[in-house]
Amino acid sequence: MKLLRVGPAGAERPALLDGDGVLRDLSALVPDIDGALLADDAALALVRTVAASPGELPVLDAEGGLRTGPPLSGIGKVACIGLNYHDHARETGAAIPQEPILFMKAPDTVVGPYDSVLVPRDSEKTDWEVELAVVIGRTARYLSSHEEALAAVAGYAVSNDVSERAFQLERGGQWDKGKNCETFNPLGPWLVTADEVADPQALGLRLWVNGELRQDGTTAEQIFPVAEVVRYLSHFMTLRPGDVINTGTPAGVAMGFPEPKPYLRAGDVVELEIDGLGRQRSALRAA
């Protein structure tokens, strides 16, 4: 299923993109797309049954300026994996990590897939990162196998792990300064349930800036695959329904370019997509 949330920020309602690409209202069936829904097998089964024959669901006007919000509400935490692609490590001259590199983003960095991204005040090095986001569907702690890890995954989404590299790397402390600026995690358009993603290690990821292709990678390049990332994280934190994991970015970020590096500025437009998971478009403006 392709689940999403539409409407004004803070007042989104749950929706479904049916097999014919028609946007349909789910608000009579479920209150929201959130961790509670993802953990409720009966509610998900009901949505799945209706999705198979969605004719009774009200149609929403996707062409009438209806905003698409983040496809998930009530996110508990956003855990992120750094340097998780072989090609990205090569372009930045970084050593291949022996264990996943973990940092966190605040849930309030998450915005819709077509919302504006704000370039922070005093920013000189705002960068893009197309990433596969993993959405957790059941509580996971101390998982012992990759099979258990994948069983804990409710679905996947497109994520842009926007980063301010000077804040991240040149201002002291941890990476969090450059990762938690307002609007720094566009997510969506859809939450695609795990049953529609046959192999999370066989997905193409692409990103354009002002129409120019900058990233063109594949999750096959991940150093630590999705199953290992979920298993590993469950030994350091409890993963709960509605948590999000950003699993790293392939080569092609601005930081990896020769000088002058093409960092983002107000007025730029970033578009990104992942096979089967949809496409984002964010215009940048000054904070």
Side-chain angles (χ1 to χ4, degrees), residues 6-282:
V6 296
E12 296 94 344
R13 53 183 160 172
L16 167 80
L17 191 71
D18 72 18
D20 294 322
V22 177
L23 187 64
R24 295 185 178 273
D25 192 348
L26 283 178
S27 58
L29 287 181
V30 296
D32 210 342
I33 310 298
D34 57 12
L37 172 65
L38 300 179
D40 188 335
D41 291 340
L44 276 179
L46 174 62
V47 174
R48 199 177 301 279
T49 298
V50 173
S53 299
E56 297 300 314
L57 291 175
V59 174
L60 294 167
D61 182 9
E63 304 298 327
L66 186 63
R67 172 182 173 271
T68 300
L72 187 65
S73 176
I75 296 170
K77 54 182 169 288
V78 182
C80 306
I81 306 299
L83 285 174
N84 195 31
Y85 280 72
H86 289 280
D87 55 1
H88 178 49
R90 287 193 297 269
E91 76 172 343
T92 58
I96 299 297
Q98 298 302 302
E99 297 188 42
I101 295 171
L102 170 66
F103 62 92
M104 306 295 289
K105 278 194 161 183
D108 65 5
T109 61
V110 174
V111 294
Y114 313 117
D115 290 344
S116 296
V117 169
L118 301 178
V119 178
R121 296 178 186 180
D122 302 320
S123 168
E124 297 181 354
K125 298 181 179 180
T126 294
D127 206 345
W128 59 82
E129 297 188 34
V130 59
E131 305 205 6
L132 173 66
V134 173
V135 179
I136 299 298
R138 64 180 65 176
T139 300
R141 53 169 67 85
Y142 298 109
L143 299 176
S144 61
S145 70
H146 287 178
E147 291 75 19
E148 285 183 311
L150 290 178
V153 174
Y156 302 92
V158 181
S159 182
N160 187 359
D161 175 23
V162 186
S163 308
E164 211 300 340
R165 303 300 189 187
F167 296 179
Q168 176 188 353
L169 301 172
E170 301 170 20
R171 299 292 297 272
Q174 300 180 342
W175 286 8
D176 294 30
K177 290 179 186 175
K179 296 287 188 174
N180 282 279
C181 303
E182 187 179 7
T183 73
F184 263 27
N185 203 150
L187 187 69
W190 315 316
L191 192 167
V192 179
T193 51
D195 59 295
E196 290 201 12
V197 180
D199 183 358
Q201 304 312 135
L203 300 175
L205 310 86
R206 291 162 293 277
L207 181 145
W208 296 259
V209 179
N210 300 328
E212 183 173 353
L213 184 64
R214 293 299 198 183
Q215 291 184 276
D216 187 4
T218 169
T219 55
E221 276 281 308
Q222 286 187 340
I223 298 166
F224 304 102
V226 166
E228 174 58 13
V229 165
V230 175
R231 186 208 66 80
Y232 180 89
L233 289 182
S234 77
H235 287 252
F236 295 90
M237 63 184 69
T238 301
L239 300 173
R240 302 187 187 279
D243 286 349
V244 173
I245 304 170
N246 288 338
T247 59
T249 197
V253 299
M255 184 173 63
F257 278 71
E259 298 290 350
K261 300 179 189 296
Y263 288 115
L264 296 168
R265 299 286 184 265
D268 288 341
V269 174
V270 178
E271 298 171 276
L272 51 154
E273 67 180 15
I274 299 177
D275 294 345
L277 304 185
R279 187 177 178 106
Q280 294 186 8
R281 184 184 188 277
S282 298

